Amino acid sequence: MSLNIGQLRKDFPILARKVNGKRLVYFDNAATTQKPVQVIERIKHYYTEENSNVHRGVHHLSQLATDKYEHARQFVASYIHAGSAKEIIFTRGTTESVNVVASLFQHLIGAGDEVLITAMEHHSNLVPWQQLCRQQQAVLKVVPINEKGELDMTALKNMITSKTRMFALAHVSNVLGTINPVGEAVKLARKKNIPVLVDGAQAVAHLPVDVTGLDCDFYAFSAHKAYGPMGIGVLYGKEEWLKKLPPYQFGGEMVDQVSFSETTFNNLPYKFEAGTPNVSGVLGMEAALKYIEEKGIGNVRDHEDELLDFATRKLSKTEGIKIIGEAREKTAVLSFVVNGVHPYDLGTLLDQMGVAVRTGYHCAQPVVESFGLTGTVRASFGIYNTLEEVDVFVDALKKSIALLK
Ligand code: PLP
């Protein structure tokens, strides 16, 4: 079955609006995706019919909200093939998930130890490790990439040592679109018993994710990049790790018994969820992941591959354009620069023609600079984008280049 994009677009009300008098072409999906009515309505339904605090009340609404919230946790667990719902911690998003793990690892990383990341990381999976290393006098090591934007697996093999305490890598690069061979990387790390954290921010909406198959120790993602609401996301952690690690924040919900002299902590996953959670966000995220599941992630992948191939071929034929990121395994992200034209100026002109793209460092300054650049233009695709929109984008791009040269 292939996707009926014309039909599916009707689920996303914002796509019908105009921007600067033009029909919106939204190619900034790597920053955040638009939301279908199924997600919007789910949140509305929660606040009109189900709102109450969870895990606390004996009354009907509290029990209803708790059931829905825990049901969503089960669904998320099965969506990413976690071993159990206990391994799903709700956070504010990828950034918070990485920060939680980095903060907890301060107990396990000391002077002279090493943390590995890759040269293509988003700041969210770089700065927390850099700061942790600084605080603990540990060493941050960066696995290089080649000129196509692929991870250097030989270098990785050599960089994993007896001092390595963590390897953190993106599943998909938000600048290059590279899909990293995460399963292979985990196997290398596993040989030396090194834990692996995967930043799945750019993967969950585009690829099937199977954390058990990948055998990673931690997996982080944000709902808002997968058609869900902002301010909610997931930290998957293997149960053995979550049992072993201490709580991250203290307060209500995460405790068992409390006295003025002592506190015992709640079971997993509640030990890591202090305070009232973002219940509507969790339910919106469940609706978003159900939406993707219903369309079929394989169909989504095929459709986005077609968009990426088509756009790549068109840009390759356009004079003066250089594509940044030409890995064999790519998804949904197309970064490029134009000879003699500033990315910001291009982005501004494209916006005037109704085309939304992202320009600059994309919160991943080191990888952009490693290509000798101060920014790129990034078109990133989602389930609702069409080949016709790629045509509109390329025409607008050619017009913009002509105006700016
Ligand atoms: N990691 C990657 C690869 C990303 O692309 C992003 C956002 O662009 C993040 C992490 C941070 O996600 P969030 O801002 O939702 O926490």
Side-chain angles (χ1 to χ4, degrees):
M1 185 198 86
S2 63
L3 297 172
N4 181 342
I5 307 297
Q7 191 61 33
L8 173 159
R9 283 178 68 85
K10 294 184 187 148
D11 292 334
F12 294 83
I14 206 168
L15 298 179
R17 69 157 288 174
K18 291 193 167 175
V19 167
N20 292 324
K22 303 280 183 332
R23 191 65 173 265
L24 170 66
V25 172
Y26 187 78
F27 281 177
D28 195 17
N29 293 287
T32 199
T33 54
Q34 300 302 345
K35 320 303 172 199
V37 282
Q38 288 83 345
V39 169
I40 299 166
E41 287 300 325
R42 182 65 192 94
I43 294 168
K44 184 175 163 198
H45 182 75
Y46 171 71
Y47 280 121
T48 45
E49 297 285 339
E50 300 166 340
N51 177 51
S52 191
N53 212 329
V54 290
H55 302 138
R56 289 174 193 195
V58 289
H59 62 81
H60 174 76
L61 283 183
S62 180
Q63 289 186 3
L64 180 66
T66 304
D67 282 353
K68 300 286 178 181
Y69 180 70
E70 291 306 328
H71 188 270
R73 195 192 306 274
Q74 299 272 358
F75 181 78
V76 172
S78 77
Y79 189 85
I80 62 167
H81 302 274
S84 110
K86 285 187 210 161
E87 299 182 316
I88 303 298
I89 314 290
F90 293 125
T91 64
R92 283 193 299 125
T94 312
T95 304
E96 187 171 60
S97 297
V98 176
N99 272 281
V100 169
V101 180
S103 164
L104 293 174
F105 265 67
Q106 66 186 297
H107 306 289
L108 302 172
I109 293 177
D113 286 343
E114 294 170 359
V115 172
L116 278 185
I117 59 168
T118 84
M120 65 175 91
E121 296 311 313
H122 186 280
H123 297 160
S124 294
N125 198 31
L126 185 169
V127 184
W129 301 113
Q130 179 191 62
Q131 296 304 308
L132 172 69
C133 287
R134 178 167 297 185
Q135 180 196 305
Q136 302 300 102
Q137 285 149 17
V139 183
L140 184 71
K141 290 193 151 181
V142 183
V143 184
I145 57 175
N146 66 20
E147 66 294 340
K148 287 184 169 172
E150 295 164 326
L151 196 61
D152 184 337
M153 295 300 280
T154 311
L156 170 62
K157 214 179 283 178
N158 296 328
M159 290 172 80
I160 297 175
T161 72
S162 57
K163 290 184 184 167
T164 313
R165 295 288 170 266
M166 167 60 80
F167 177 36
L169 82 163
H171 198 165
V172 173
S173 158
N174 68 310
V175 174
L176 309 168
T178 308
I179 305 172
N180 280 320
V182 171
E184 225 181 295
V186 172
K187 276 196 195 114
L188 289 177
R190 193 62 67 231
K191 280 189 194 153
K192 299 236 165 102
N193 229 358
I194 312 299
V196 178
L197 176 142
V198 182
D199 169 354
Q202 296 296 341
V204 168
H206 310 285
L207 307 174
V209 171
D210 177 348
V211 291
T212 302
L214 290 174
D215 195 27
C216 56
D217 299 86
F218 301 97
Y219 195 97
F221 68 93
S222 307
H224 74 96
K225 292 183 194 287
Y227 311 105
M230 289 190 173
I232 186 73
V234 169
L235 170 63
Y236 158 82
K238 271 190 180 163
E239 192 173 340
E240 62 195 81
W241 272 113
L242 297 182
K243 273 190 180 152
K244 197 157 61 180
L245 292 166
Y248 164 68
Q249 286 184 330
F250 302 95
E253 289 274 313
M254 53 77 64
V255 291
D256 179 23
Q257 297 293 318
V258 180
S259 72
F260 283 117
S261 56
E262 210 175 347
T263 295
T264 55
F265 301 119
N266 205 339
N267 298 325
L268 289 179
Y270 313 111
K271 176 173 125 182
F272 292 104
E273 289 181 5
T276 298
N278 180 354
V279 181
S280 65
V282 165
L283 299 177
M285 169 162 62
E286 179 189 30
L289 296 178
K290 279 188 172 162
Y291 187 84
I292 301 175
E293 187 179 70
E294 187 197 301
K295 303 300 169 208
I297 191 73
N299 297 323
V300 174
R301 175 100 205 259
D302 289 348
H303 173 60
E304 292 175 350
D305 279 353
E306 194 183 4
L307 294 170
L308 182 63
D309 287 350
F310 184 56
T312 303
R313 268 186 280 119
K314 287 200 112 179
L315 289 201
S316 306
K317 284 194 221 138
T318 309
E319 216 191 293
I321 290 189
K322 180 168 167 37
I323 291 172
I324 307 299
E326 295 175 301
R328 248 168 312 147
E329 293 290 327
K330 266 188 84 166
T331 185
V333 169
L334 183 55
S335 266
F336 61 94
V337 285
V338 181
N339 234 341
V341 178
H342 198 284
Y344 178 84
D345 296 337
L346 263 180
T348 307
L349 278 188
L350 285 170
D351 178 55
Q352 283 171 18
M353 298 181 212
V355 181
V357 294
R358 184 54 61 117
T359 64
Y361 285 125
H362 318 294
C363 295
Q365 187 172 347
V367 68
V368 173
E369 288 183 344
S370 74
F371 283 84
L373 301 167
T374 54
T376 75
V377 181
R378 181 185 72 187
S380 53
F381 307 112
I383 192 169
Y384 36 66
N385 291 129
T386 65
L387 296 173
E388 293 72 34
E389 286 183 310
V390 174
D391 280 332
V392 171
F393 157 65
V394 175
D395 285 348
L397 185 62
K398 286 180 179 163
K399 276 187 203 144
S400 306
I401 294 171
L403 282 169
L404 291 166
K405 277 231 166 175

